[in-house]
Amino acid sequence: MGASDSPTGTVTRTPARGWAVLLLFRAQGSSVILISYTFGLFLPFIRDDLNISLLQAGLLQGVWWVTAATAALPFGAWFSRFRPVPVVLVSLVLSLPFLFMQALATGFVFLLLARLFFVLCHVIATPARTLLLQQWAAPRQYAQINSVGLSQHSVILALAVSTSALFITAAGSWRAAYLLMGGLMLVQAFAWVLVAQERKAPVRDIKSQLNEQEGTPLRALALYPQAWIIAAMMFFLSATWTAMVTFLPTLWLEERGVSLTLGGPLLGFLYYGLIPSGLIGGFLAHKIRNRKLLLGVPALFNVLFGVAITFTTNPILLMFLITGLGIVWVATPAINVLPFEFPGIRPREVAVISSLVVTFSGLGFAAGPVVTGLVAQFTGSLQTGLVTLCLLTGLGVVASAVYPAHARNAAPPMLRADGDK
């Protein structure tokens, strides 16, 4: 089972089922993100069908992430008291109807509300991000599991982004694409029931252990100010990413005559480089002890690649630049496990810190398309909107400069494996 024989009673080896549970959970998150990111590829069809403006398009993408940002922290604090496996299943079951409703949207308001409630139901599973790790995995493998998950995520998104434009062009309906994605998430819900069997988890008494943690986990927000720096960093990375995936296809199509059948595969290069490089995230977590570099270098290259992409017209050069923008995210598996090294932090508090990062990531994902759409609306130039957004994200470099330089050698928060008290 992977339970330790040591006095600490921790998990020392992640079982095969643990890997399956954690990677399936990551695949569910990838599917949700896919629904947001492919919106940019579907946008020309949706605009023609529903007659929406660029600002409304930005709001449709923005509401997705504003909802996640608003709900993540309170949901993270509240739902962290419950067992993560059933919480994930409830989240999936509640969100599915709203995904299918997006395919039936008849106007801007209908689509906006369907997207809002879909995300609201999905965010219920936010605290499971860290609790599932602590229930199913060995602490020394947290970053490694996140790295494999990032590569898996990149494969899913690369294939989907590269082929969705071809699918929607052949089908002639963006609604059919949403129905297909709904069917795939339904399959994932059934798979979760089969794979995530708590009686086979290394830590089975997780509910009682969570109840042992007295007081509100929200105290972590004041105890660990460095968490806010991590959150700010993810805000800027996220803003650039979602602005690009939302508006680059439209920029290429309307201003440069690049068809969606070419724009889709070009945008897929965001993920191609991450497929192999994502696996080194665990290596970075152990080798780069100066955490300023772990945060600051990705922030700097995020700005440089973002600005360069908006001015580049050569498809070959675009491939390299877009690949570079994707590889910037190779550090995120290591960044996501930084809260585990905060001295004295408890499992539910890690879930709250993770929720804070989700909140700021959501705000960034929301701000990216909204700011870009707003600037484009007033200047009449989508390129100006993208450049403005990319330059603003340079503040991420400033945020990283005030993070503590070196990781402390503190024991991570760990739940007791089954049979150890």
Side-chain angles (χ1 to χ4, degrees):
M1 295 282 295
S4 172
D5 295 326
S6 68
T8 59
T10 61
V11 182
T12 57
R13 180 178 60 84
T14 305
R17 185 178 290 270
W19 278 92
V21 168
L22 293 165
L23 292 179
L24 179 57
F25 177 70
R26 183 58 189 262
Q28 294 165 5
S30 299
S31 298
V32 173
I33 291 173
L34 170 65
I35 297 165
S36 172
Y37 287 175
T38 53
F39 177 76
L41 293 171
F42 301 162
L43 183 56
F45 295 89
I46 296 175
R47 287 184 67 194
D48 289 341
D49 193 2
L50 303 182
N51 192 29
I52 62 174
S53 67
L54 282 175
L55 180 57
Q56 287 176 323
L59 292 173
L60 284 169
Q61 188 74 299
V63 72
W64 190 280
W65 301 104
V66 166
T67 303
T70 302
L73 197 54
F75 281 18
W78 175 257
F79 289 104
S80 65
R81 69 182 63 197
F82 302 112
R83 302 182 344 260
V85 169
V87 166
V88 171
L89 182 59
V90 168
S91 172
L92 280 169
V93 171
L94 291 179
S95 62
L96 274 169
F98 296 105
L99 176 53
F100 287 112
M101 286 175 64
Q102 292 178 61
L104 304 176
T106 55
F108 168 72
V109 175
F110 190 123
L111 185 55
L112 185 76
L113 292 175
R115 290 170 70 82
L116 186 154
F117 284 107
F118 172 79
V119 177
L120 192 66
C121 294
H122 167 69
V123 176
I124 290 173
T126 296
R129 287 160 53 99
T130 59
L131 293 180
L132 285 172
L133 274 173
Q134 295 172 80
Q135 184 181 22
W136 290 92
R140 63 184 177 81
Q141 293 182 297
Y142 287 173
Q144 181 185 0
I145 291 169
N146 281 344
S147 297
V148 175
L150 177 60
S151 291
Q152 172 190 272
H153 170 80
S154 302
V155 171
I156 294 173
L157 272 291
L159 290 174
V161 170
S162 300
T163 60
S164 58
L166 299 174
F167 172 82
I168 193 174
T169 301
S173 171
W174 60 274
R175 300 178 189 275
Y178 274 92
L179 291 173
L180 176 62
M181 289 187 288
L184 292 175
M185 288 203 69
L186 184 61
V187 171
Q188 291 177 3
F190 283 111
W192 186 255
V193 174
L194 295 175
V195 175
Q197 299 180 27
E198 289 183 296
R199 68 180 184 275
K200 298 182 179 180
V203 179
R204 297 202 293 266
D205 63 338
I206 186 171
K207 181 66 165 64
S208 62
Q209 294 190 52
L210 293 175
N211 289 339
E212 291 173 2
Q213 299 173 41
E214 298 179 356
T216 174
L218 290 172
R219 72 177 195 140
L221 301 179
L223 288 176
Y224 305 104
Q226 63 267 45
W228 295 87
I229 301 173
I230 298 173
M233 167 67 182
M234 294 307 300
F235 172 93
F236 294 115
L237 287 183
S238 302
T240 301
W241 188 280
T242 195
M244 292 294 176
V245 299
T246 301
F247 288 117
L248 273 181
T250 300
L251 174 70
W252 291 336
L253 179 66
E254 296 185 354
E255 298 188 18
R256 297 174 186 173
V258 177
S259 68
L260 288 177
T261 53
L262 176 58
L266 272 177
L267 204 57
F269 277 87
L270 282 168
Y271 306 98
Y272 299 149
L274 272 178
I275 294 172
S277 64
L279 295 173
I280 70 172
F283 173 82
L284 295 177
H286 294 293
K287 295 300 181 181
I288 301 182
R289 305 306 294 171
N290 188 331
R291 300 320 199 187
K292 291 181 186 291
L293 294 178
L294 194 60
L295 296 170
V297 172
L300 176 62
F301 279 100
N302 181 68
V303 178
L304 296 178
F305 283 126
V307 172
I309 287 169
T310 61
F311 285 102
T312 301
T313 57
N314 184 285
I316 303 299
L317 184 55
L318 274 173
M319 291 178 188
F320 286 101
L321 292 173
I322 294 172
T323 299
L325 186 65
I327 292 177
V328 162
W329 284 70
V330 72
T332 56
I335 293 172
N336 287 334
V337 299
L338 289 181
F340 285 99
E341 69 185 31
F342 293 175
I345 195 167
R346 301 182 296 181
R348 285 189 64 196
E349 292 172 343
V350 177
V352 165
I353 296 299
S354 177
S355 298
L356 177 70
V357 174
V358 171
T359 295
F360 273 68
S361 293
L363 289 173
F365 282 128
V370 171
V371 170
T372 302
L374 189 61
V375 173
Q377 190 87 357
F378 282 102
T379 63
S381 170
L382 191 51
Q383 183 183 46
T384 300
L386 286 169
V387 171
T388 300
L389 187 281
C390 290
L391 292 176
L392 287 174
T393 61
L395 293 173
V397 181
V398 179
S400 66
V402 295
Y403 193 84
H406 297 284
R408 299 188 183 184
N409 296 319
M414 294 173 286
L415 297 171
R416 295 186 302 271
D418 184 58
D420 293 302
K421 304 297 181 185

